[in-house]
Amino acid sequence: MSSSKQVFDRGDRVGIYLQDKHSLQENLELVQYAEEQGIDEIWQAESRLARDGITPLGAYAAVTDQIKLGTGVINNWTRNTALIAQTMSTLEELAGPNRIQCGIGAWWDPLAEKVGIDRSGALRAMRECVEVTQDLLDMENVTYDGEFVQMSDVELDVVHGDSGPRTVPVYVGGTGFKMLELTGHFADGALMNYLVSPEYNEKALDALATGAERGGRSLEDIDRPQLIVCSMDHDVDKALDNARELITQYLGQQPHIMKASGVSQDLIDEVGDAIGGWPADKEDIEQGMELIPDDVVHKLTASGTPEQCREKVREYAESGCQCPILYPLGDDRELMIDEFADGYL
């Protein structure tokens, strides 16, 4: 890795994860509020086919000064690797150095399949994408003959302005342990997934450490922010139901995430049958929600009162998360920011 990459503060960092529930104007105001309150990072989802993960970051960069901004995550199938590097370079030009963080994931089926993407060879494809993206951001001239990525005499063509190495670390957003091993070997960081349990984290860290050792590094060389669903409300039942809706969608549509955390295959199958795959309509999701017990909600999310949420986030931190990236499901997102602005430990 280049020495231009930022050195991460391993302390009490906290971030916010934004999806598409709220308008972009509302999110712009929230990001400004988060920066004012001392929140460290914003990660923008590229959710389904609802909202891309790049455009909002440019808007956030234009209205903030210091908060770090990451893609959580774009995929490595629909953007050429050179375009990924070019995009991150442009975002850094807008935001300034040491603020942009590039999160890349392997996408998901059935969406990928529905738009003609064959995700066979996902591990190899990710390795090639990460390697080449890092080299391009280091302003190297790249020739690369891979199975999925081919480059011949390619470099970022910066004529006007700073042409030095970019300060953009590359993260892999993965859930499976083989992908996490790969992340430990090649990436600057692992954007660990949500809707997993703290117990899952222990296995994930083992995989990251195995990959890091293979790459001549240690686990401490891998930055480890983690997406964490946070459904906060003074009404506990309301908080649990908000999280239950999201869990139902993911159990039915991305069951590999739940399986990694030890959710029973019987429950996964039952919920999948109830909602009928992707996309699911509102009535199907409501039917599936009735199958999700409270203990599963508590296992996979930080849900409940402010103190219950803080306590659960501490569990994730004790299990290897270095920066909780909180996905706010409650109606009062400012409340969640206020509760975590001074840290969680």
Side-chain angles (χ1 to χ4, degrees):
M1 291 180 292
S2 167
S3 60
S4 66
K5 296 295 194 305
Q6 51 195 295
V7 177
F8 295 97
D9 177 8
R10 306 297 182 179
D12 195 8
R13 296 153 53 203
V14 177
I16 306 296
Y17 178 65
L18 297 178
Q19 281 251 14
D20 60 295
K21 180 179 180 181
H22 299 83
S23 72
L24 283 172
Q25 183 58 47
E26 289 175 303
N27 281 354
L28 282 169
E29 294 169 1
L30 189 80
V31 168
Q32 290 176 301
Y33 182 75
E35 182 173 64
E36 291 169 2
Q37 297 304 108
I39 296 297
D40 301 281
E41 304 181 9
I42 299 292
W43 291 79
Q44 173 65 48
E46 185 155 274
S47 47
R48 308 178 312 282
L49 289 180
R51 184 174 289 165
D52 79 87
I54 301 296
T55 307
L57 286 192
Y60 304 157
V63 299
T64 58
D65 297 312
Q66 297 180 337
I67 199 165
K68 295 183 187 297
L69 304 168
T71 52
V73 292
I74 59 175
N75 75 81
N76 63 311
W77 297 103
T78 59
R79 290 180 178 89
N80 180 277
T81 307
L83 177 60
I84 294 176
Q86 179 188 33
T87 300
M88 296 301 145
S89 176
T90 304
L91 285 171
E92 177 168 299
E93 182 182 1
L94 177 62
N98 293 310
R99 291 189 62 198
I100 300 301
Q101 304 179 124
C102 176
I104 305 174
W107 223 15
W108 53 280
D109 285 318
L111 177 54
E113 181 182 2
K114 284 174 177 282
V115 299
I117 301 294
D118 179 1
R119 296 172 63 249
S120 301
L123 291 171
R124 181 71 197 183
M126 182 61 72
R127 171 178 174 170
E128 294 179 6
C129 179
V130 169
E131 287 183 323
V132 172
T133 299
Q134 289 173 321
D135 288 346
L136 289 170
L137 288 170
D138 284 342
M139 304 306 282
E140 295 181 11
N141 184 285
V142 178
T143 295
Y144 192 96
D145 185 19
E147 181 179 350
F148 296 92
V149 178
Q150 292 84 40
M151 297 277 168
S152 178
D153 189 27
V154 174
E155 60 187 78
L156 292 182
D157 183 20
V158 179
V159 175
H160 305 287
D162 181 11
S163 59
R166 294 335 192 205
T167 60
V168 180
V170 179
Y171 292 74
V172 173
T175 305
F177 300 124
K178 292 294 185 184
M179 186 64 78
L180 288 169
E181 283 188 27
L182 178 82
T183 302
H185 193 177
F186 292 99
D188 300 305
L191 181 59
M192 298 169 67
N193 216 342
Y194 58 13
L195 294 181
V196 297
S197 65
E199 292 76 19
Y200 159 88
N201 278 13
E202 297 173 9
K203 300 176 185 176
L205 260 60
D206 287 342
L208 285 170
T210 297
E213 183 178 1
R214 190 182 308 137
R217 302 192 288 173
S218 73
L219 180 62
E220 292 310 307
D221 294 319
I222 314 301
D223 190 41
R224 302 187 301 275
Q226 181 166 23
L227 307 178
I228 299 173
V229 170
C230 184
S231 183
M232 181 184 291
D233 200 288
H234 293 294
D235 182 336
V236 174
D237 290 337
K238 185 176 181 181
L240 292 177
D241 281 342
N242 283 337
R244 201 183 325 269
E245 180 178 2
L246 184 70
I247 289 172
T248 301
Q249 294 179 59
Y250 272 76
L251 268 175
Q253 297 169 20
Q254 298 193 50
H256 66 286
I257 297 176
M258 306 298 177
K259 194 170 183 179
S261 279
V263 174
S264 74
Q265 188 63 50
D266 288 344
L267 179 59
I268 292 172
D269 293 341
E270 195 173 2
V271 174
D273 290 342
I275 74 170
W278 181 86
D281 61 35
K282 186 175 181 180
E283 290 183 2
D284 291 338
I285 292 172
E286 289 175 352
Q287 181 180 347
M289 286 174 61
E290 298 176 2
L291 304 171
I292 309 297
D294 287 354
D295 64 331
V296 170
V297 178
H298 284 300
K299 179 184 181 73
L300 303 178
T301 70
S303 295
T305 65
E307 183 50 44
Q308 286 176 312
C309 291
R310 288 167 66 96
E311 177 60 32
K312 185 67 175 187
V313 169
R314 283 191 286 269
E315 289 184 32
Y316 284 103
E318 291 166 0
S319 302
C321 161
Q322 292 180 314
C323 177
I325 309 297
L326 305 172
Y327 178 5
L329 294 188
D331 296 329
D332 190 345
R333 297 189 293 174
E334 288 79 5
L335 170 65
M336 191 197 73
I337 288 174
D338 292 345
E339 289 291 333
F340 282 94
D342 294 328
Y344 54 93
L345 298 177

